[in-house]
Amino acid sequence: MCDALRELMKEDFEETKQETLLETIKNLMDTMKWTAEQAMTAMKIPDADRGKYIAKL
């Protein structure tokens, strides 16, 4: 049971983290007039992860 709860918490944390990063990207694009790429570069988001954020914009 502990492993199942731990896995659920891990998934919830990752989802929340991704939502927060996406919101930050949007905020930088709006306030700084940056492209998504510029915002993700400033946030040091790895190239391998950028596609999933681009898809959600």
Side-chain angles (χ1 to χ4, degrees):
M1 176 130 168
C2 287
D3 289 338
L5 182 56
R6 192 174 297 121
E7 186 63 30
L8 182 61
M9 290 175 62
K10 180 180 175 183
E11 289 174 12
D12 188 46
F13 174 78
E14 281 300 316
E15 184 177 328
T16 301
K17 177 182 167 185
Q18 288 181 11
E19 289 172 5
T20 301
L21 287 173
L22 185 61
E23 190 64 30
T24 303
I25 292 166
K26 290 178 182 179
N27 288 340
L28 286 171
M29 290 172 68
D30 181 49
T31 59
M32 303 298 289
K33 306 301 182 213
W34 285 349
T35 65
E37 283 294 323
Q38 289 172 314
M40 288 187 280
T41 297
M43 295 170 63
K44 298 184 179 182
I45 294 175
D47 290 340
D49 295 339
R50 292 181 184 201
K52 66 183 170 188
Y53 295 109
I54 293 290
K56 293 181 181 183
L57 290 173

